[in-house]
Amino acid sequence: MRMVDLIEKKRDGQELSTDEIKFIISGYTDGTIPDYQVSALTMAIYFRGMTEKERADLTMAMVESGDQIDLSQIEGIKVDKHSTGGVGDTTTLVLGPLVAAVGVPIAKMSGRGLGHTGGTIDKLEAVKGFHVEIENEEFINLVNKNKIAVIGQSGNLTPADKKLYALRDVTATVDSIPLIASSIMSKKIAAGADAIVLDVKTGAGAFMKTLDDSKELAKAMVRIGNNVGRRTMAVISDMSQPLGYAIGNALEVKEAIDTLKGEGPRDLTELCLTLGSHMVYLAEKANSLEEARQKLENAILDGSALEKLKVFLSSQGGDASIVDNPSNMPQANYSFELEAKEDGYVAEIIADEVGTAAMLLGAGRATKESTIDLAVGLILKKKIGDQVQKGESLVTIYSNFENIDEVREKLYENIKVSSTKVEAPILIYGEITE
């Protein structure tokens, strides 16, 4: 088998076989196939696409290139949730304890963030003492005992995907649906879940900016998951503005606590109930989505979801007192109000730019080497469609330095006020199950 023949085959729009795809991924991972040949192949894929069979084969070849997490010792159907990313996306912090409270095992492998705020692990480290450096045996025992645990990502999970992603980044082939879908799904499948719920974002703060592109990506990932034996579905949700009100690590943990108390933002609560209902249903803990949702709503009302959060935090060394006293988490030295300059209605909150403003405060990482300030961030006081009066606060800015002129300017540029009433955006655009 020669790589040049396979490049030519894909260039001419033909389907690569399972063995040919395994040959490519194996050779690229061990270094026997050079970057320049794989670059040519990814460009051919960019223009020619891949069949459903090729996408499934590529995904599994990347899964098999490194470690795979064995969750078979955990009782029940393990369901994972993946979001394609956004600003103020606190869903994992809410969904973990909420879904675990109704008996669904959540064995979560999470990473650190690069961008607007930290990843799930960074946010959880706003809780004093919390750690994810636990052995696999303890991880499995915690999930069996408490129905929830979080562990750091394995260093050798899908190494082929890491190499391929780095190459795509410098060869203008990132925006290829087959390659994006295979990349995301390879990591989820290697992490050992039996079923996967995908939260595919759309809008200004999302990776996919248009609804059509988001639907295409969602369908591609759902088909891959189902084709390789994982029950998979996707929800397409809005990211034209930040989700919820909080953007920043400790601030997002507090918002998650509020949501588990039944006092959270309407959009964050609704999205978590929608995603969580599918997780409960796929885990066969309810006979319908309606029954699943009712169980989740009851877990919030009776306090069991909040209690599950305390158990989860304390079991991994965290100070669970923050659930009742969020002020025990890191606090910023200064807070400032961003006041509206005119009367009107909030017409636009450009999510990714508002996220960048939070990063300027130190809430996220500009590079992998950046240090996150867990205390700082933003609390939106208004969302799209809300009425606002001149002098009223649009955003509370939490900072550990006094000069926030650059942050103010960034926020004013990206939060637009209109004299005419604007409708709030749709939160959930659809669900894809096959």
Side-chain angles (χ1 to χ4, degrees):
M1 207 176 291
R2 296 194 312 160
M3 185 64 179
V4 65
D5 298 325
L6 304 183
I7 296 168
E8 183 179 4
K9 188 175 180 181
K10 180 45 64 181
R11 181 201 68 190
D12 294 342
Q14 298 177 49
E15 183 180 71
L16 297 172
S17 72
T18 303
D19 287 342
E20 287 169 339
I21 289 173
K22 284 183 177 180
F23 169 80
I24 293 164
I25 294 302
S26 175
Y28 187 48
T29 305
D30 67 22
T32 55
I33 296 176
D35 277 352
Y36 61 83
Q37 286 190 309
V38 179
S39 298
L41 180 70
T42 57
M43 190 60 76
I45 291 170
Y46 183 89
F47 285 110
R48 289 294 194 171
M50 299 183 92
T51 65
E52 283 190 29
K53 181 178 180 300
E54 284 179 307
R55 295 176 187 193
D57 286 341
L58 175 60
T59 301
M60 291 311 296
M62 291 197 293
V63 169
E64 291 161 6
S65 71
D67 295 341
Q68 297 180 57
I69 309 302
D70 180 6
L71 301 180
S72 60
Q73 290 178 289
I74 295 173
E75 300 154 10
I77 297 171
K78 281 71 70 180
V79 185
D80 200 357
K81 187 276 302 181
H82 175 78
S83 169
T84 57
V87 182
D89 189 354
T90 316
T91 52
T92 297
L93 296 178
V94 178
L95 278 170
L98 177 58
V99 174
V102 300
V104 178
I106 301 298
K108 188 73 179 167
M109 178 175 289
S110 291
R112 300 189 180 278
L114 181 61
H116 313 117
T117 61
T120 298
I121 288 177
D122 297 300
K123 293 169 188 177
L124 285 167
E125 286 179 349
V127 181
K128 184 179 179 181
F130 186 89
H131 63 91
V132 294
E133 295 78 18
I134 53 180
E135 296 298 324
N136 280 347
E137 186 178 351
E138 184 185 357
F139 175 61
I140 288 166
N141 288 340
L142 284 174
V143 179
N144 278 329
K145 179 183 175 185
N146 302 326
K147 296 300 180 189
I148 181 171
V150 173
I151 194 170
Q153 286 184 345
S154 162
N156 197 40
L157 210 67
T158 63
D161 175 60
K162 292 183 179 71
K163 284 191 74 173
L164 197 57
Y165 189 89
L167 187 69
R168 288 164 52 212
D169 199 33
V170 295
T171 56
T173 53
V174 169
D175 297 332
S176 163
I177 295 289
L179 297 177
I180 296 167
S182 299
S183 174
I184 292 171
M185 293 304 292
S186 67
K187 291 188 280 285
K188 290 291 102 182
I189 291 162
D194 301 314
I196 301 164
V197 172
L198 300 162
D199 179 16
V200 181
K201 305 293 190 183
T202 190
F207 181 65
M208 291 298 185
K209 306 296 183 189
T210 70
L211 183 56
D212 284 347
D213 285 347
S214 299
K215 283 182 177 177
E216 188 181 351
L217 176 60
K219 287 176 182 176
M221 292 193 292
V222 168
R223 285 171 180 159
I224 287 172
N226 288 328
N227 283 339
V228 301
R230 305 298 196 279
R231 292 182 66 190
T232 307
M233 67 79 57
V235 171
I236 300 173
S237 67
D238 179 66
M239 191 44 75
S240 61
Q241 64 178 337
L243 183 65
Y245 295 108
I247 307 163
N249 300 280
L251 299 175
E252 289 183 42
V253 175
K254 182 183 182 303
E255 187 164 84
I257 294 166
D258 290 341
T259 305
L260 290 169
K261 287 179 178 176
E263 301 166 2
R266 191 166 46 194
D267 56 349
L268 176 60
T269 301
E270 178 57 33
L271 183 57
C272 287
L273 287 171
T274 300
L275 295 169
S277 295
H278 283 283
M279 294 173 75
V280 173
Y281 179 69
L282 289 179
E284 299 180 0
K285 293 295 182 180
N287 294 318
S288 67
L289 289 173
E290 293 74 22
E291 182 188 346
R293 186 184 178 102
Q294 189 62 58
K295 285 188 172 190
L296 296 174
E297 290 175 346
N298 289 344
I300 292 173
L301 287 171
D302 67 18
S304 58
L306 199 66
E307 188 60 33
K308 184 64 71 175
L309 175 62
K310 292 178 182 178
V311 170
F312 162 54
L313 294 176
S314 61
S315 293
Q316 294 192 221
D319 177 10
S321 73
I322 63 100
V323 176
D324 296 317
N325 299 291
S327 60
N328 289 344
M329 288 187 291
Q331 303 290 306
N333 292 324
Y334 306 101
S335 66
F336 308 90
E337 302 301 327
L338 186 83
E339 296 178 352
K341 295 180 178 180
E342 58 193 321
D343 293 346
Y345 299 87
V346 177
E348 194 174 14
I349 303 176
I350 302 175
D352 50 356
E353 294 295 336
V354 171
T356 299
M359 188 170 67
L360 292 172
L361 292 166
R365 292 184 178 88
T367 69
K368 288 181 181 178
E369 291 72 36
S370 301
T371 300
I372 284 181
D373 187 336
L374 297 168
V376 304
L378 309 169
I379 298 287
L380 300 178
K381 297 297 185 177
K382 301 288 181 179
K383 299 291 286 278
I384 294 174
D386 289 347
Q387 189 171 12
V388 63
Q389 296 181 330
K390 183 179 179 180
E392 196 175 1
S393 179
L394 294 168
V395 183
T396 302
I397 303 166
Y398 292 92
S399 173
N400 276 326
F401 47 84
E402 290 187 80
N403 184 355
I404 58 161
D405 291 347
E406 185 181 7
V407 175
R408 282 186 185 277
E409 184 179 348
K410 174 70 76 174
L411 291 171
Y412 275 129
E413 285 174 357
N414 293 288
I415 300 177
K416 310 290 176 64
V417 175
S418 167
S419 59
T420 56
K421 184 162 176 58
V422 176
E423 293 299 319
I426 294 168
L427 176 64
I428 296 172
Y429 288 92
E431 299 173 2
I432 293 167
T433 56
E434 58 183 41

